[in-house]
Amino acid sequence: MSGPTYDDVVKLLGHSAYNPAIVPQLEAYVKAQASSKAPYYFNANRTLVKLYQFFPHLSAGDEIISLVLFLALVEFPTTDFCALACLVPERVQSREPCVTLVRCAELLEACQFAEFWQVFGQIQTEAAASVSMKQAAASSETQSKLRKSILSLLAHTYRTAPLTMVLAALNVSSLDDGDAMVASVSGDTVTFVASPDNTKRSRVFKEGVNYDAISSMMTKTTTSAPVVARE
């Protein structure tokens, strides 16, 4: 029997969001997301982690929780990982593969992309990682999604950047200048498509105070002020 579809899960959350009976369906959907058989659904994953909080006896080890965190990691640069990690007990985060996932998230947040790829690659050989996670980490779809997100961040930050830096950040040996975000690759320099974010804007100074208007107001106030007679 096939697992629940996206529409099935939406309906479940609509009428039984915190019913522990839906845990098996949500767990099956997490696995479907990891194998690219279902679209990513943050609300469903968050609901599952919350159900584990309310009903700890329903959590069958760290496999599903770590998969949920992995899926959130791949959604970089969203804040999904942070939002879910704060719901995961420290005792779980202190064990592998969560330790590696947290480290990966920290490196992405710090824009240390070259170091990120080194740690991310360890997931495929981590003994505590599930088969589903190892396969997802090794898939070209997952890695391409991460590279696209990193490239987008670079393109929004830099107008030009050293080719070696960009290659290291993407963990690739060559760069396709046909990418929509890359204007050209010339020699050792990558030029990104110009955007409001990566282009220096000329500052236009605009006087915020009209002194003529203030002077006029002060004159009117002075001339219209009542004269107080002295006794």
Side-chain angles (χ1 to χ4, degrees), residues 39-78:
Y40 176 74
Y41 192 7
F42 171 76
N43 286 338
N45 299 343
R46 181 180 58 181
T47 298
L48 177 59
V49 176
K50 285 187 174 181
L51 284 171
Y52 286 158
Q53 282 187 315
F54 299 150
F55 309 98
H57 64 284
L58 296 178
S59 178
D62 300 344
E63 177 184 355
I64 298 298
I65 290 180
S66 59
L67 265 181
V68 166
L69 291 179
F70 175 85
L71 292 169
L73 178 72
V74 179
E75 292 302 307
F76 174 79
T78 69

Side-chain angles (χ1 to χ4, degrees), residues 5 14 20 32 36 57 63 70 79 91 107 111 118 125 129 142 162 171 174 189 203 205 218:
T5 64
S36 300
H57 64 284
E63 177 184 355
F70 175 85
T79 58
R91 58 180 173 78
L107 291 171
C111 295
Q118 294 177 7
T125 57
T142 295
N171 194 36
S174 61
T189 302
R203 298 182 61 182
F205 180 77
M218 292 180 66

Side-chain angles (χ1 to χ4, degrees), residues 6-7 13 28 59 67 122 136 175 188 196 203 209 220 230:
Y6 175 83
D7 291 336
L13 298 184
S59 178
L67 265 181
Q122 296 173 11
L175 187 64
D188 297 329
R203 298 182 61 182
V209 179
K220 290 180 180 179
R230 295 183 178 180

Side-chain angles (χ1 to χ4, degrees), residues 168-187:
L170 300 178
N171 194 36
V172 294
S173 57
S174 61
L175 187 64
D176 181 11
D177 59 1
D179 191 284
M181 291 177 280
V182 178
S184 65
V185 179
S186 178

